């Protein structure tokens, strides 16, 4: 999936107290995170979604839009948003994918279950997947690490010929791959 383009989609979403229609056209031209999760009103999912909500302002300041996606409807997302303190702080798109079209486009549909895997995709402004993470049902993701990956991907995009080493943090040294570095790291 890395370095492939996102596929066309249309969906209804809940965002900032309103129902909105979105498509892949809403993703192009900006950085985007697709944050798939199995279901609303569950256990690990709200902890992850709340964690991303806590980083949303910083992601937005970096030109990143967030699209959380489950196979629940946008109506269910609103009900969850209205009934949960944790989910109530979400201002990003909560996408209803009851047809499974988006979830299948990203190859994260659990076969025979109609639920999305716990998966994150970082998309660049051209609509190309730059990073992805998929975890097992019981393993929650970390928005701080997602933010680190966003910063690294944006740095690499802005600095061709440089790469970010393991555990790279913004402002730290990068590498410029060359014959001179072979065997010296």
């Amino acid at each position: 999936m890395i370095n492939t383009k996102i596929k066309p989609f249309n969906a209804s979403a809940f965002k900032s107290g309103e129902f909105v229609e979105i498509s892949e056209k809403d993703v192009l031209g900006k950085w985007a995170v697709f944050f798939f999760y199995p279901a609303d009103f569950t256990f690990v999912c709200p902890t992850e979604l709340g964690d991303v909500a806590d980083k949303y302002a910083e992601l937005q300041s970096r030109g990143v839009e967030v699209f959380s996606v489950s196979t629940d409807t946008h109506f269910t997302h609103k009900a969850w948003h209205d009934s949960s303190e944790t989910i109530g702080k979400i201002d990003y798109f909560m996408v209803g994918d009851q047809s499974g079209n988006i979830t299948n486009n990203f190859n994260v549909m659990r076969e025979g279950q109609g639920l999305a895997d716990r998966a994150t995709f970082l998309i660049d402004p051209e609509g190309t997947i730059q990073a992805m993470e998929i975890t097992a049902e019981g393993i929650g993701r970390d928005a701080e690490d997602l933010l680190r990956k966003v910063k690294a991907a944006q740095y690499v995009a802005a600095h061709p010929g440089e790469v970010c080493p393991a555990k790279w943090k913004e402002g730290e040294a990068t590498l410029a791959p060359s014959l001179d570095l072979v065997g010296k790291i």
Side-chain angles (χ1 to χ4, degrees):
M1 300 277 309
I2 299 295
N3 291 323
T4 64
K5 297 279 188 186
I6 61 169
K7 296 177 182 174
F9 70 87
N10 290 292
S12 298
F14 178 72
K15 181 177 186 342
S16 302
E18 298 181 358
F19 293 131
V20 295
E21 296 300 312
I22 62 167
S23 74
E24 76 284 352
K25 293 175 184 79
D26 295 300
V27 178
L28 300 176
K30 65 186 88 162
W31 287 85
V33 169
F34 277 74
F35 199 80
F36 291 88
Y37 63 98
D40 292 0
F41 295 100
T42 55
F43 314 102
V44 175
C45 300
T47 66
E48 294 181 309
L49 292 168
D51 190 32
V52 172
D54 292 341
K55 297 291 182 194
Y56 184 56
E58 188 171 357
L59 288 163
Q60 287 232 290
S61 75
R62 301 192 69 82
V64 179
E65 187 53 75
V66 175
F67 300 86
S68 64
V69 183
S70 79
T71 55
D72 296 295
T73 68
H74 55 294
F75 299 113
T76 306
H77 294 331
K78 181 190 182 313
W80 196 23
H81 189 274
D82 292 350
S83 66
S84 166
E85 185 177 320
T86 299
I87 301 306
K89 64 185 177 181
I90 292 174
D91 287 324
Y92 52 77
F93 290 91
M94 296 181 74
V95 181
D97 186 33
Q98 63 271 19
S99 71
N101 185 46
I102 303 168
T103 306
N104 281 313
N105 283 352
F106 283 88
N107 293 323
V108 293
M109 180 69 80
R110 293 181 185 171
E111 193 170 330
Q113 294 184 29
L115 301 174
D117 279 327
R118 209 171 288 293
T120 309
F121 294 85
L122 175 59
I123 316 297
D124 72 17
E126 288 75 45
T128 303
I129 299 170
Q130 294 298 318
M132 61 185 276
E133 174 184 22
I134 302 173
T135 67
E137 175 65 26
I139 302 171
R141 293 160 286 177
D142 182 345
E144 186 66 40
D145 192 51
L146 170 61
L147 184 58
R148 183 192 67 78
K149 290 173 187 172
V150 165
K151 290 175 182 179
Q154 289 179 335
Y155 184 91
V156 169
H159 300 89
E162 292 184 48
V163 296
C164 297
K167 297 184 181 184
W168 178 85
K169 301 272 193 284
E170 191 171 35
E172 292 181 352
T174 59
L175 301 171
S178 69
L179 188 59
D180 295 339
L181 284 182
V182 174
K184 296 183 179 165
I185 297 176

